[in-house]
Every structure is written in structure tokens, then in C-alpha cells.
Amino acid sequence: MQIVTTRDRLDLTGDAMAPLRAAWPTFALHDPVSIEYRDAFEACFPQYAVLLVDNDQVLANAAAVALRWNGSVATLPAGYDGAVVQSVTEHHAGIPADTLCIMSATVHPSHLGQGLAAMALTALRDRAAQAGLPRVIVPVRPTLKASYPLTPMADFLTWLRPDGLHLDPWIRTHQRLGATILAPAPRSMVVTGTVAEWEKWTAMAFPQTGPYVVPGALNLVHIDRTLDQGHYEETNLWMQHH
Ligand SMILES: CC(C)(COP(=O)(O)OP(=O)(O)OC[C@H]1O[C@@H](n2cnc3c(N)ncnc32)[C@H](O)[C@@H]1OP(=O)(O)O)[C@@H](O)C(=O)NCCC(=O)NCCS
């Protein structure tokens, strides 16, 4: 298996990535900040777009940005969206970064549970060290949280197993790499669409105005039929690698 960057293997951007894209809930691919900043994100931080490749199959990918952060919880970026905007804005302004912010990791569905995500995270941490970035943070999207959309993240983050590790497997993966929990990241990703768009993204019907539990969503989705709008604000969890 090789660890390369997306730019090293431009031949793998199409069909080879489809199974990894399919691992995400469709609505998450409609985050307007991600869409607006996608090209700039990729242009500014190509060294932090890593692929784990076996011959021509992409087994996992992970991406990160670099930004400036003073180490205080109070000045963390405004979640995933905030980190995208801050990193690109600072890069264009020539502000030197001191923090790697890991934005996502995805493993091919046929290779889950084999430690590949940890390998991808480690590859990014190594690149941070090579670039002289002393801090590494992550707005973690805990995979188990989708089963508890009614629970505030401030409560969820306290759910530990008897061995002291978190109940959530994705948080555990970060903890085993030495990461610690910092704080919830409210409004980390905000997605708004028409009711028809939300029905398409979720394969659900939303017959009346109100909050809905949606598969893959960490928080409730609020449907307003009068405004013809569905609104989703996702809370993530800031963690720091040491
Ligand atoms: C989250 C994700 C990256 C984890 O990848 P991974 O390589 O399976 O992670 P790990 O090998 O470290 O496994 C993490 C835990 O999940 C468990 N697990 C998850 N899915 C599993 C599966 N299908 N088979 C076996 N174990 C699985 C592992 O046993 C492990 O639990 P443990 O702590 O008891 O050992 C992967 O599930 C994924 O791509 N999800 C979709 C995208 C996403 O949500 N990314 C995270 C937000 S950025």
C-alpha cells in the first residue's frame, strides 16, 4: 500500500473515489461552505490531501488545512466550516500557519475496522511535523452520534466505556493516537435547502413542519413547509492531537 497525495494520482479522482463519497450522508455533500471553498481548499493545501492506495484502488483518504490558532479553546475556529474559511483566507493573506486542522477521513466500506483511518491520520500528523506545525486539531464528526441526535454534544462527549475510552469508535481512534477532547463545535456544518432538496438528499418525506430524525445526521433537521426550507446545524467535537 502506498500513501500519496491526490495530485500524485489525478487518475484516481473519478470512479475510484465513488465508494468513499458514498460513505457520507448525501446532505453532508451539500454544505455550501465546502462547495464554495472546495477549489481554494484543494489549491491551498494539496500536500494535506492524502490517499492510501493499493494498486489502483483507493482504500482511504484524508484531508487537512493549515491555520493559525493560539491554543485557547475560546479561539478555536467555528467548526468545520469556520476552519475552511479561516485557513483559505489566512493562506491568501500570507499569514503563517501554526496548526494543522484535520478536516475529514474516509475509509473504503470494504476495508473498515482495519486501522486504515489511523494510518491516514498519522500520515497527516507526520506532514504537520515536517511542515513545522506544532499543533494538530480536528473537528471530529463522531460516527455513533447519529444514533443519538437528541443528545447534546456536551453530554455525548462524557459517555465513556469502563476502560476510560469513549463509547464512540471514531473518537476512540483519535484517543488511541493520543488525542484529547477540547470542546463541542456548534454550527460546525450548516446545510440549508428546500423541502424537496431535503426529501431527495434523505429519501424521506417531510409532510409537516417540525424537527426530524434523519439517518446519518448528528442533530435534528428542522423542516419549515411555510418557508419551504430544511435547516441543519451540525455540532462536531473539537479534539487535539499531542
Ligand atoms: C470513521 C471511519 C473513517 C473509521 O475508519 P476505520 O478505518 O474503520 O477506523 P478504525 O479501524 O480505527 O476503527 C474504528 C472503530 O470502529 C470499529 N468499526 C467500525 N466499522 C467497522 C466495521 N465495519 N468492521 C469492523 N469494525 C468496525 C472498529 O472496530 C474500531 O472500534 P474499536 O475501537 O472497538 O477497535 C470510517 O468508518 C468511515 O470512513 N466513515 C465514513 C466517513 C466518516 O464518517 N468519517 C469520519 C468523519 S471525518
Side-chain angles (χ1 to χ4, degrees):
M1 194 183 62
Q2 284 184 305
I3 300 178
V4 299
T5 65
T6 308
R7 283 203 176 166
D8 295 328
R9 291 299 304 266
L10 289 174
D11 57 313
L12 296 178
T13 51
D15 290 350
M17 296 301 293
L20 284 82
R21 271 195 299 274
W24 289 86
T26 305
F27 65 81
L29 306 176
H30 291 272
D31 170 19
V33 172
S34 285
I35 293 169
E36 181 184 346
Y37 281 82
R38 181 178 300 140
D39 291 346
F41 179 149
E42 289 172 7
C44 294
F45 307 107
Q47 70 277 37
Y48 302 131
V50 298
L51 302 176
L52 274 56
V53 178
D54 184 13
N55 291 316
D56 287 340
Q57 189 183 18
V58 181
L59 304 185
N61 73 349
V65 297
L67 47 78
R68 198 150 184 86
W69 176 54
N70 66 8
S72 155
V73 169
T75 60
L76 281 164
Y80 179 96
D81 288 350
V84 171
V85 175
Q86 182 181 332
S87 62
V88 169
T89 306
E90 289 178 352
H91 184 87
H92 286 155
I95 297 171
D98 57 11
T99 302
L100 187 83
C101 183
I102 298 176
M103 304 303 284
S104 68
T106 313
V107 172
H108 192 292
S110 64
H111 288 75
L112 292 171
Q114 299 172 16
L116 291 182
M119 286 180 70
L121 295 177
T122 303
L124 287 174
R125 294 197 326 183
D126 290 347
R127 281 158 196 254
Q130 282 159 16
L133 304 178
R135 298 191 184 96
V136 177
I137 54 175
V138 197
V140 174
R141 183 170 201 272
T143 48
L144 191 67
K145 180 68 172 67
S147 299
Y148 303 96
L150 303 177
T151 304
M153 187 63 85
D155 292 338
F156 185 81
L157 71 81
T158 67
W159 292 3
L160 306 185
R161 303 192 308 188
D163 66 0
L165 293 175
H166 202 276
L167 194 65
D168 182 273
W170 187 220
I171 295 177
R172 280 202 300 278
T173 297
H174 289 277
Q175 288 178 322
R176 287 202 184 97
L177 291 172
T180 52
I181 292 172
L182 294 179
R187 292 178 56 81
S188 188
M189 183 180 72
V190 179
V191 182
T192 303
T194 65
V195 175
E197 283 173 330
W198 274 98
E199 290 185 334
K200 192 170 155 209
W201 296 340
T202 59
M204 288 175 67
F206 300 113
Q208 66 182 56
T209 291
Y212 286 85
V213 173
V214 164
L218 311 195
N219 297 83
L220 298 173
V221 175
H222 293 271
I223 298 292
D224 187 327
R225 293 211 62 102
T226 312
L227 294 176
D228 186 21
Q229 190 184 82
H231 185 72
Y232 176 67
E233 295 186 3
E234 181 169 292
T235 300
N236 292 150
L237 184 63
W238 280 113
M239 294 186 72
Q240 181 171 12
H241 285 250
H242 299 283

